[in-house]
Amino acid sequence: MSFGDILYIIAMFIFVFITFGIIKNYYKSKFDDEGRRIDMIDDEDKEGKKD
């Protein structure tokens, strides 16, 4: 295996991990701890129930 092949494989692993990290952070910012979409929650639910 030549040096270029090894460098190519390393670059692909780095690309996969960076892409996975970007996707994971995107979904963490869109969903709360209970798995609900943050932008779909009503304002009353964000502040807590006032009953």
Side-chain angles (χ1 to χ4, degrees):
M1 198 182 289
S2 68
F3 178 71
D5 292 340
I6 295 171
L7 192 63
Y8 179 77
I9 292 170
I10 291 171
M12 286 297 110
F13 277 116
I14 292 171
F15 174 76
V16 167
F17 284 119
I18 289 173
T19 304
F20 178 74
I22 290 170
I23 293 170
K24 185 177 85 170
N25 288 333
Y26 173 77
Y27 280 105
K28 279 176 87 173
S29 69
K30 291 289 181 186
F31 294 93
D32 63 1
D33 294 334
E34 297 174 3
R36 296 182 297 172
R37 293 247 341 208
I38 293 174
D39 58 347
M40 300 296 274
I41 298 174
D42 294 333
D43 291 334
E44 295 172 0
D45 289 340
K46 286 181 184 175
E47 297 171 0
K49 302 277 182 188
K50 297 191 180 195
D51 292 335

